[in-house]
């Protein structure tokens, strides 16, 4: 499957561009809406945690909003990829029914389409940090690696959820609900240091969430600090990601012969 994706990357890129443009067809403000909800979310969390709870980021000299942005931007990418990717086979059922079309490309098409939005948010993040006069270093190049890492994880999950969604339509709703819980299972709005004195077990459990590695990585790239247990977390992350990708793609390949019949 991976070789097929590489071989057909040109077609995947073309379809992803069309998918990205299609999302804003007929909308008066067009691409502006892509930024409204995420920016509103950042504003709400900033008001709640910085103004309400007086949350202090663990990085000295960094305002809460600048600490929040690198953590929540990869989450926006991850949740959009899963929500839109889960329903991709229904959305492109006309292609699924074509015998000559390689249906395995569709999850990658949707992921790449969402990735274009992610790139826009990363650029905005850089602009915000420049305006805020944050001293960024060569570490910002780590964004490339962590973007790739979260993309592989998301694609593996999409292969699984999109294939199941064809036969079990409630899968899309389940994914949405799990995502609502998921954002609280990673240290995005808060830092795990809050639990060190009260519940050390919570800190250890948070590290079992693969998104923990991504969030910490984005923050390391943008505001520095240390990546504690980096080698262990890297090995753990890629072990989990490879297992998910292998399982998801296997389920997809097993079920894809029935897609056209059901759809």
């Amino acid at each position: 499957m991976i070789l097929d994706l590489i071989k057909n990357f040109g077609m995947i890129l073309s379809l992803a561009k069309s998918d990205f443009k299609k999302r804003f067809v007929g909308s008066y403000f067009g691409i502006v809406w892509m930024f409204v909800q995420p920016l509103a979310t950042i504003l709400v969390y900033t008001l709640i945690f910085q103004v309400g709870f007086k949350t202090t980021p663990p990085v000295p000299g960094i305002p809460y909003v600048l600490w929040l942005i690198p953590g929540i931007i990869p989450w926006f990418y991850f949740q959009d990829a899963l929500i839109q990717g889960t329903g991709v086979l229904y959305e492109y059922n006309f292609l699924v029914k074509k015998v000559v079309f390689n249906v395995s490309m569709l999850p990658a098409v949707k992921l790449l389409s969402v990735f274009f939005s992610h790139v826009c948010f990363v650029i905005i993040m850089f602009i915000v940090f420049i305006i805020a006069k944050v001293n960024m270093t060569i570490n910002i190049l780590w964004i490339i690696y962590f973007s790739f890492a979260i993309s592989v994880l998301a694609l593996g999950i999409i292969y699984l959820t999109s294939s199941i969604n064809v036969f079990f339509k409630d899968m899309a709703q389940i994914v949405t609900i799990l995502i609502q819980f998921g954002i609280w299972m990673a240290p995005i709005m808060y830092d795990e240091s809050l639990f060190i004195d009260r519940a050390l077990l919570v800190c250890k459990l948070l590290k079992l969430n693969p998104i923990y590695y991504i969030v910490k990585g984005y923050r390391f790239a943008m505001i520095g600090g240390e990546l504690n247990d980096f080698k262990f977390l890297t090995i753990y992350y890629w072990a989990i990601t490879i297992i998910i990708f292998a399982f998801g793609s296997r389920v997809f390949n097993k079920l894809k012969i029935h897609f056209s019949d059901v759809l």
Side-chain angles (χ1 to χ4, degrees):
M1 182 176 288
I2 294 175
L3 292 176
D4 283 342
L5 295 180
I6 296 174
K7 179 181 178 181
N8 296 295
F9 182 75
M11 182 180 295
I12 293 173
L13 180 61
S14 178
L15 290 172
K17 289 179 180 178
S18 299
D19 183 89
F20 181 76
K21 295 176 182 178
K22 184 180 66 176
R23 290 161 58 187
F24 310 105
V25 172
S27 174
Y28 184 78
F29 290 102
I31 199 171
V32 173
W33 290 115
M34 182 179 71
F35 303 100
V36 173
Q37 189 271 335
L39 293 177
T41 302
I42 292 174
L43 177 61
V44 169
Y45 286 144
T46 300
L47 291 175
I48 293 175
F49 285 91
Q50 181 175 340
V51 179
F53 293 121
K54 307 294 183 181
T55 302
T56 302
V59 181
I62 297 294
Y64 177 81
V65 65
L66 295 182
W67 179 83
L68 173 65
I69 289 174
I72 204 168
I73 280 182
W75 176 258
F76 287 150
Y77 171 41
F78 185 72
Q79 73 170 10
D80 287 350
L82 262 58
I83 291 173
Q84 296 189 41
T86 298
V88 68
L89 297 179
Y90 271 103
E91 182 179 351
Y92 287 95
N93 63 80
F94 60 94
L95 290 178
V96 175
K97 295 176 182 179
K98 290 187 176 182
V99 179
V100 295
F101 183 78
N102 186 353
V103 70
S104 301
M105 295 191 299
L106 290 177
V109 167
K110 184 59 71 173
L111 179 72
L112 188 56
S113 173
V114 177
F115 183 75
F116 293 152
S117 302
H118 179 60
V119 172
C120 294
F121 277 107
V122 170
I123 294 173
I124 291 174
M125 178 174 64
F126 285 150
I127 294 174
V128 170
F129 273 65
I130 291 172
I131 293 174
K133 298 181 180 180
V134 176
N135 184 26
M136 293 182 289
T137 66
I138 194 68
N139 287 341
I140 61 174
L141 295 179
W142 279 101
I143 292 289
I144 300 173
Y145 162 73
F146 286 106
S147 294
F148 171 75
I150 195 173
S151 297
V152 177
L153 175 63
L155 183 58
I157 298 175
I158 291 171
Y159 273 126
L160 178 63
T161 58
S162 63
S163 59
I164 295 176
N165 190 56
V166 173
F167 307 92
F168 182 63
K169 295 182 181 180
D170 293 334
M171 176 55 67
Q173 302 301 324
I174 293 174
V175 168
T176 302
I177 293 173
L178 290 177
I179 284 174
Q180 292 177 351
F181 282 102
I183 192 171
W184 298 102
M185 300 303 293
I188 296 174
M189 285 80 67
Y190 59 88
D191 189 72
E192 74 271 16
S193 59
L194 292 173
F195 303 99
I196 288 180
D197 297 331
R198 289 172 288 180
L200 185 60
L201 178 61
V202 175
C203 299
K204 294 181 179 180
L205 289 176
L206 287 174
K207 292 183 179 181
L208 295 179
N209 183 353
I211 301 300
Y212 174 95
Y213 176 71
I214 301 297
V215 170
K216 287 294 183 179
Y218 270 69
R219 284 184 174 141
F220 170 76
M222 296 304 300
I223 58 181
E226 295 184 2
L227 276 177
N228 297 324
D229 302 324
F230 179 70
K231 291 183 179 179
F232 168 77
L233 290 174
T234 300
I235 295 173
Y236 171 78
Y237 178 85
W238 282 109
I240 293 297
T241 299
I242 290 172
I243 291 173
I244 291 174
F245 189 92
F247 180 70
S249 59
R250 183 173 179 81
V251 171
F252 189 94
N253 280 329
K254 287 287 185 180
L255 297 178
K256 69 180 182 181
I257 58 174
H258 305 292
F259 289 164
S260 59
D261 297 330
V262 177
L263 295 174

